[in-house]
Amino acid sequence: MPIGLLALALGGFGIGLTEFVIMGLLPEVAADFSVSEATAGWLISGYALAVVVGALLLTAAVTRFERKPVLAVLLVLFIAGNLVSAIAPDYSMMMIGRIVAALAHGAFFGIGAVVAADMVAPTKKAGAIAIMFTGLTAANVLGVPFGTMLGQAAGWRSTFWAITGIGVLALAGILTLVPRTGQGRAAAQAASGGLRGELRAFRSGQVWLSILVTILGYGGMFGAFTYIAYTLTEVTGFAASAVPWLLILFGIGLFIGNTVGGKAADRNVDRTLLVVLAALVVILVAFALTAGNQPLTIASIVLMGGFGFATVPGLQMRVMKYADSAPTLASGANIGAFNVGNALGAWLGGVTITAGLGYTSPIWAGAGITLLGLGVMAFAAAKARRRDQNRTTAAAAPAAAGAPVGV
């Protein structure tokens, strides 16, 4: 394993921690800035929206530059955003810090996925992407619980100071461990054709289908997860104090699913996505039906995290595959699609609760969204298979026409 992948994973860990740790610190932040918890919640929503903007616009702006220096600059932006958050004198400045950090999020994962794939053999690309995303899963398993405890013990600002330090370490790792991917700006431009070349990747219907699968498949899992605390306490009957530890189990599922999903996608990305999405639908339905049973709920949480995140390396790899020689912007767009899926799932889950359908309704909504994603994936896989068969037939025809009789 190239050691540079560890530097990318550390950057992913810091970025994942920035995104998710705020959820456990909202009461402290709201009290410090004298705002309602609903207003403080915009620190989460604003971050997610800025991720989408950065994934598209910032990635598009840097496609002509060599990727390693771009990753370094993105981490500088990430460090600056968290530093502003740590010293923010008021809510408005805190929001600015969150937005600045979020702008680096989508572009870092989008470009980092391309860099990670370039560091290994073609048969190990999805596995390399999975290693980078291991940082994100580790942020959920270890970073969020300990970051929340640090913030509660030493003040919420201490958590953002710690994240700033992680960003500095990740920057040092990128600068020293990640190899250059070309011979400067000219080579980087020639490889992808610049911004025009990157935009041409979106002429591929398979790129758009892959992005849609990302929105639906990941959005279904996140929709169920967003309101999981209410399900666990109001339906399953767990005490509120048990929720953080149950979320650690969810994070362990993420970690395992990411690793196994990456290895499986390297063997056959479409088959892996079809199997994983189908399994995720079954798990979500089973979870909704058995949410009143504590042992079965624990199993459902682990499996939901595992199969939900097992899609991530394959989805990212599929977009890059069909973007061909210009994968950077398409990769960034797919990172944005994950966050669009997050917003879709959370919104639909909230609609079902507001409609009085109960705290298992977001899980049913998530199952429905994921089922749509499975349908799109089945259509995309069938279309890709027909295209490959047609190409094979077309290539074999001239050879058959020129072959001697009897051969």
Side-chain angles (χ1 to χ4, degrees), residues 192 237 340 383:
S192 67
V340 172
K383 189 174 181 181

Side-chain angles (χ1 to χ4, degrees), residues 192-404:
S192 67
L195 181 57
R196 286 187 178 181
E198 295 286 343
L199 289 172
R200 277 197 296 270
F202 291 95
R203 295 178 182 176
S204 168
Q206 287 291 342
V207 168
W208 286 107
L209 288 170
S210 300
I211 288 174
L212 183 56
V213 174
T214 296
I215 293 172
L216 297 173
Y218 195 72
M221 186 272 286
F222 200 85
F225 174 69
T226 299
Y227 300 95
I228 193 70
Y230 294 102
T231 305
L232 294 175
T233 56
E234 301 298 326
V235 180
T236 315
F238 284 109
S241 59
V243 172
W245 304 107
L246 292 169
L247 294 184
I248 290 176
L249 295 177
F250 176 79
I252 291 172
L254 296 182
F255 183 85
I256 296 172
N258 178 63
T259 303
V260 175
K263 292 180 179 179
D266 272 326
R267 291 192 290 271
N268 189 309
V269 65
D270 282 4
R271 184 173 61 217
T272 296
L273 289 173
L274 287 169
V275 170
V276 169
L277 287 170
L280 183 58
V281 172
V282 173
I283 289 162
L284 289 172
V285 170
F287 186 13
L289 291 173
T290 63
N293 182 292
Q294 291 189 354
L296 291 178
T297 292
I298 291 173
S300 294
I301 289 172
V302 176
L303 291 172
M304 183 176 75
F307 282 95
F309 219 82
T311 62
V312 173
L315 288 169
Q316 197 68 16
M317 186 63 209
R318 196 174 198 278
V319 166
M320 292 164 54
K321 172 185 175 181
Y322 287 104
D324 199 22
S325 61
T328 306
L329 185 56
S331 179
N334 202 51
I335 297 297
F338 282 112
N339 282 269
V340 172
N342 293 352
L344 172 65
W347 170 78
L348 189 57
V351 168
T352 62
I353 290 176
T354 303
L357 299 178
Y359 289 119
T360 59
S361 60
I363 305 174
W364 285 110
I369 297 173
T370 305
L371 183 61
L372 287 175
L374 175 61
V376 175
M377 184 61 230
F379 172 77
K383 189 174 181 181
R385 189 163 52 249
R386 285 196 300 271
R387 187 195 70 167
D388 292 342
Q389 290 172 346
N390 290 339
R391 286 183 174 181
T392 301
T393 302

